[in-house]
Amino acid sequence: MWVPLRGGYPHCTLLLLRGEWMGRRGLPRSLAPGPPRRRYRKEALPALEVPVLPITTTEIRQYLRAHGIPFQDGHSCLRAPSPFVGASQFKDQTGVTTSFSLFIDKTTGRFLCMASLAEGSWEDFQASVEGQGDGAREEILLSEAPEAENSEEVRRIWDRAVPLWELPDSEEAQLAHVMFGLSKVTGDTLRRFSVRYLRSARSLVFPWFSSRGLGLRGLKLLGAEGQGNGVRYVETTIPRPGAYHNLFGLPLIGRRDVEVVLTSRELDSLALSQSTGLPTLALPRGTACLPPVLLPYLEQFRRIVLWLGNDLRSWEAAKLFARKLNPKRCSLVRPGDQQPRPLEALNQGLNLSRILRTALPAWHKSIVSFRQLREEVLGELSNVEQAAGVRWSRFQDLNRLLKGHRKGELTVFTGPTGSGKTTFISEYALDLCTQGVNTLWGSFEIGNVRLARVMLTQFAVGRLEEQLDKYDEWADRFEDLPLYFMTFHGQQNIRSVIDTMQHAVYVYDICHVVIDNLQFMMGHEQLSADRIAAQDYVIGAFRKFATDNNCHVTLVIHPRKEDDDKELQTASIFGSAKASQEADNVLILQDRKLVTGPGKRYLQVSKNRFDGDVGVFPLEFNKSSLTFSIPPKSKVRLKKIKDDNGLVAKKSSSGKKGAVSQNSEAGLDQASNPSQPDIPQPSR
């Protein structure tokens, strides 16, 4: 129902170490496997016109009972006998028979067989059960084999890396321990977790071993950079982040372990294991995402403690992940001065076992008292900037007014037809996405290919049709963004859209959903109904989704028809007052080009529920990069003068008379042709 672009870490950069530039995937050129090859994947193919409806837990249970398949109810998965292991039952390394080796996700229906490592969709499982899957079953099983190109690359790097405790140069070993804060981590701990050091890149190497001990499936390289008085870590994974599903420390977990501590970094897992002796696992993508494919590996635990970091973003991620894992078995370590992340706590000499005992249960009743909220209130008061949300890097004036982009809020955005609403909101969302905000785009008016082309141009800050030799370079970087697109187009039913959004939040941990625009949410079955009442219902559904899923929703709404010489107001939003009442933020793109000439656009913040600051600031459109945040290198200044009749005319500052084309800025005269979309056409 959506086309994913691989999610990635926002801090994958190029490093210059020992005079050697880091090549593809952040590896030294001597280890890089050569120029990247173009690969075409299923996700890039056109999607079906009719989206597949999501499966429910009740439907999964009914199907299993109807086919006589026994199952056990788990925390987030159902366990059943696997059709992929043949007649003989699977035995693990201890020789214990495990008949229920198939895990079926209660939310998505996706399955994983622990015996054969086969996985697939609910439709694949149905085909196997109903005898339609002999060929499909082989395809599912074969799909789990590691990619040849990755396995060769992984093995070459792993062989060149050396155990950190075996470095011949004592000064180099001491420098590595200091760089990564491992001064109090013993060699025995590093040996148990098989941590190595790549000297040519000055990076720690964390292995991804198969859960069945069949070999090395991938690696994570962790480099360190100095940043002010602190250290910034740069992560590079093989395979790329979207396919890297390593729960670091999983081979050390025993079959009878019932409690585990989840961390967001491998270094924290080392510190926790050494200090407490408890089973600990590090999430492959930190606080960015908890892929559902990992949930079967966590089913055996009755209690899960999430200790993800020492900031509010980590706290929000812990609460989100707990909902996925079943909050009744989860406890959260609250960030604080006396409760930093595990590695820092070890280096400060704090008692990590005592901190774990202070973990708060993630589940509580619907009614709470201030006693349960006082620590969260203190956290927001002591971390004002983090509580304000993610700040924009391209729009500093938005930071001045809105302070940041916060989860769980509803933003309503409007502007005149042809003013560039879609172009602006795509850059607005792209700015946040480049900072690690997982984003889902619902473009019901503009096709995904055209929207992605515009966003890629904004990302590259230049037109790539004039430099196609750089397309692969920019496309590879753009592909690593945690950006996804719905495949809906045209009129849609609101229930189908909400189901898709909830599914995306569960699978990809989406934090920001953009809906362009509200008018397309009026499904066909509502054509004869009161449109105002239908719009109020749709807005209420988006408001409820944002609150229940702690996800920010940006909703584009067309305004009422107003006179061209009048500025839009909050009351100009189409429909009743419910849109502005439900919204936490109201943004209005004011287009004054019909009065003051091309280029005169302003963004007005007319509502800000967070702290009440409202205001307006100018925007300048750059045709070459399709951006509003980067001013054009050269521009023609316009002055307003009066002719003999007292009418306002336009004259360039250079003294040359003449009209300025409306097309010179947006590529299309959208103001005179309302049927044209907001995204400009690239020049030829």
Side-chain angles (χ1 to χ4, degrees):
M1 300 173 72
W2 52 82
V3 180
L5 295 177
R6 288 198 189 105
Y9 294 97
H11 302 308
C12 290
T13 57
L14 296 179
L15 295 175
L16 181 61
L17 299 175
R18 292 191 172 183
E20 184 173 34
W21 278 105
M22 306 292 281
R24 185 165 72 94
R25 294 179 178 169
L27 302 177
R29 293 197 183 277
S30 58
L31 296 177
R37 293 183 291 174
R38 297 290 298 277
R39 288 178 288 181
Y40 298 89
R41 304 178 310 281
K42 275 187 176 181
E43 295 83 12
L45 297 177
L48 297 176
E49 292 295 331
V50 181
V52 180
L53 294 177
I55 192 72
T56 65
T57 307
T58 301
E59 292 172 336
I60 296 175
R61 290 193 179 104
Q62 290 175 348
Y63 181 87
L64 296 176
R65 291 191 184 104
H67 288 80
I69 301 175
F71 63 89
Q72 298 173 351
D73 206 338
H75 299 286
S76 55
C77 300
L78 298 176
R79 296 186 62 177
S82 175
F84 304 101
V85 296
S88 61
Q89 294 177 327
F90 173 72
K91 295 185 178 181
D92 60 19
Q93 296 177 353
T94 62
V96 178
T97 300
T98 56
S99 56
F100 287 73
S101 59
L102 187 76
F103 291 78
I104 304 174
D105 192 298
K106 291 182 180 180
T107 304
T108 65
R110 190 168 184 85
F111 70 86
L112 170 65
C113 175
M114 290 292 192
S116 61
L117 294 183
E119 63 176 342
S121 65
W122 175 245
E123 290 74 20
D124 294 330
F125 176 75
Q126 288 177 308
S128 299
V129 171
E130 297 169 11
Q132 305 171 7
D134 292 339
R137 185 178 304 179
E138 292 181 5
E139 182 180 351
I140 294 172
L141 291 171
L142 292 176
S143 67
E144 295 308 308
E147 297 182 11
E149 60 171 326
N150 282 336
S151 60
E152 182 181 350
E153 184 179 358
V154 164
R155 179 53 59 184
R156 184 166 63 251
I157 296 174
W158 183 248
D159 290 340
R160 291 196 56 177
V162 297
L164 189 60
W165 60 92
E166 293 182 3
L167 283 176
D169 189 346
S170 59
E171 292 185 0
E172 183 181 9
Q174 183 179 3
L175 177 61
H177 279 79
V178 172
M179 278 197 321
F180 297 101
L182 299 175
S183 302
K184 294 190 176 182
V185 177
T186 64
D188 290 339
T189 302
L190 297 173
R191 186 180 297 105
R192 280 199 313 115
F193 283 87
S194 302
V195 180
R196 294 190 179 185
Y197 184 72
L198 187 61
R199 302 177 69 186
S200 59
R202 292 186 180 176
S203 299
L204 292 180
V205 182
F206 302 106
W208 175 17
F209 292 114
S210 170
S211 59
R212 294 175 57 188
L214 298 180
L216 198 60
R217 299 187 62 184
L219 298 173
K220 176 183 283 190
L221 276 71
L222 182 67
E225 289 181 328
Q227 190 175 47
N229 295 328
V231 177
R232 173 172 171 264
Y233 296 112
V234 182
E235 295 176 331
T236 305
T237 62
I238 306 173
R240 301 181 75 164
Y244 184 78
H245 297 145
N246 177 28
L247 280 172
F248 179 72
L250 187 61
L252 302 179
I253 299 295
R255 186 176 59 87
R256 297 185 178 181
D257 289 331
V258 295
E259 182 178 353
V260 69
V261 183
L262 296 184
T263 69
S264 61
R265 299 191 317 181
E266 290 77 6
L267 297 178
D268 291 329
S269 288
L270 298 177
L272 264 171
S273 177
Q274 175 179 306
S275 180
T276 65
L278 292 174
T280 177
L281 297 171
L283 300 177
R285 297 175 61 184
T287 59
C289 180
L290 173 58
V293 70
L294 300 178
L295 298 184
Y297 298 101
L298 302 172
E299 275 295 299
Q300 73 179 76
F301 301 109
R302 298 176 187 170
R303 183 171 186 257
I304 298 177
V305 181
L306 292 98
W307 191 351
L308 301 185
N310 55 355
D311 56 10
L312 285 182
R313 180 177 292 189
S314 302
W315 176 247
E316 293 294 334
K319 292 190 289 185
L320 178 64
F321 295 168
R323 295 177 58 181
K324 224 183 251 194
L325 295 165
N326 189 343
K328 292 185 178 181
R329 62 167 173 163
C330 293
S331 299
L332 315 178
V333 175
R334 184 185 303 280
D337 293 338
Q338 297 302 315
Q339 297 183 166
R341 59 185 329 128
L343 183 62
E344 296 176 7
L346 177 65
N347 291 331
Q348 295 175 18
L350 301 178
N351 189 323
L352 276 68
S353 297
R354 182 177 300 172
I355 294 176
L356 287 176
R357 288 195 292 270
T358 65
L360 303 174
W363 179 84
H364 53 74
K365 296 181 180 179
S366 299
I367 301 176
V368 297
S369 65
F370 179 72
R371 180 180 180 182
Q372 295 168 282
L373 300 175
R374 61 181 296 163
E375 292 299 328
E376 290 195 42
V377 174
L378 175 61
E380 292 203 1
L381 292 176
S382 57
N383 299 275
V384 177
E385 291 188 3
Q386 294 180 20
V390 180
R391 297 173 66 85
W392 287 269
S393 61
R394 297 191 179 199
F395 300 100
Q396 297 302 321
D397 289 310
L398 266 181
N399 294 330
R400 178 175 55 85
L401 295 175
L402 293 179
K403 306 303 183 292
H405 182 270
R406 293 166 291 276
K407 294 182 181 180
E409 292 190 353
L410 175 65
T411 295
V412 169
F413 177 63
T414 191
T417 301
S419 60
K421 293 190 296 296
T422 303
T423 307
F424 171 81
I425 209 67
S426 66
E427 185 183 10
Y428 163 99
L430 178 65
D431 186 344
L432 298 168
C433 190
T434 56
Q435 300 180 67
V437 177
N438 299 355
T439 303
L440 176 67
W441 248 98
S443 178
F444 301 88
E445 188 175 24
I446 308 299
N448 285 333
V449 173
R450 192 175 182 188
L451 175 62
R453 185 191 69 191
V454 171
M455 296 185 75
L456 180 60
T457 301
Q458 294 172 334
F459 182 67
V461 197
R463 293 190 179 274
L464 293 176
E465 58 262 37
E466 300 172 359
Q467 40 186 354
L468 291 178
D469 57 320
K470 296 184 179 180
Y471 174 78
D472 281 337
E473 176 186 349
W474 283 106
D476 285 344
R477 294 175 59 184
F478 189 72
E479 188 178 357
D480 282 336
L481 296 178
L483 178 63
Y484 306 85
F485 298 94
M486 296 188 208
T487 57
F488 293 121
H489 192 71
Q491 293 280 348
Q492 297 296 329
N493 177 269
I494 181 61
R495 187 68 259 167
S496 299
V497 176
I498 293 294
D499 286 344
T500 302
M501 292 162 55
Q502 289 176 335
H503 196 73
V505 168
Y506 178 81
V507 175
Y508 300 110
D509 295 304
I510 296 298
C511 302
H512 184 204
V513 178
V514 182
I515 300 295
D516 184 16
N517 59 59
L518 176 73
Q519 276 69 14
F520 285 93
M521 295 299 98
M522 313 297 184
H524 294 290
E525 72 280 359
Q526 297 171 339
L527 291 179
S528 60
D530 182 3
R531 289 185 60 83
I532 301 300
Q535 177 174 317
D536 289 350
Y537 171 78
V538 172
I539 292 174
F542 283 123
R543 170 74 268 178
K544 186 176 186 302
F545 170 85
T547 303
D548 292 348
N549 295 276
N550 196 29
C551 177
H552 194 114
V553 176
T554 298
L555 190 58
V556 180
I557 305 179
H558 285 311
R560 293 192 180 99
K561 294 297 182 182
E562 302 278 4
D563 295 336
D564 292 337
D565 58 344
K566 292 183 179 179
E567 289 189 346
L568 298 179
Q569 306 295 329
T570 302
S572 303
I573 299 174
F574 181 82
S576 68
K578 187 175 180 66
S580 57
Q581 291 171 352
E582 294 281 8
D584 297 285
N585 313 293
V586 176
L587 308 181
I588 303 176
L589 183 60
Q590 303 283 5
D591 186 4
R592 306 296 294 158
K593 64 174 178 284
L594 297 178
V595 178
T596 59
K600 300 300 181 181
R601 294 190 180 100
Y602 302 88
L603 188 69
Q604 178 182 352
V605 179
S606 60
K607 182 179 180 180
N608 175 7
R609 187 170 282 164
F610 180 69
D611 69 352
D613 283 353
V614 296
V616 63
F617 59 89
L619 295 173
E620 232 177 321
F621 182 75
N622 187 332
K623 181 181 177 182
S624 64
S625 61
L626 305 182
T627 59
F628 285 92
S629 61
I630 302 174
K633 294 182 180 179
S634 60
K635 58 185 178 181
V636 178
R637 287 191 173 183
L638 300 177
K639 295 181 179 180
K640 290 186 291 184
I641 61 175
K642 291 186 177 181
D643 59 13
D644 296 337
N645 297 324
L647 300 176
V648 176
K650 304 180 185 67
K651 180 178 179 180
S652 64
S653 58
S654 61
K656 297 181 180 180
K657 298 181 179 180
V660 179
S661 171
Q662 296 288 337
N663 295 344
S664 65
E665 187 175 6
L668 292 172
D669 189 0
Q670 298 168 343
S672 62
N673 186 3
S675 64
Q676 293 291 341
D678 295 333
I679 297 183
Q681 293 278 4
S683 60
R684 298 293 182 189

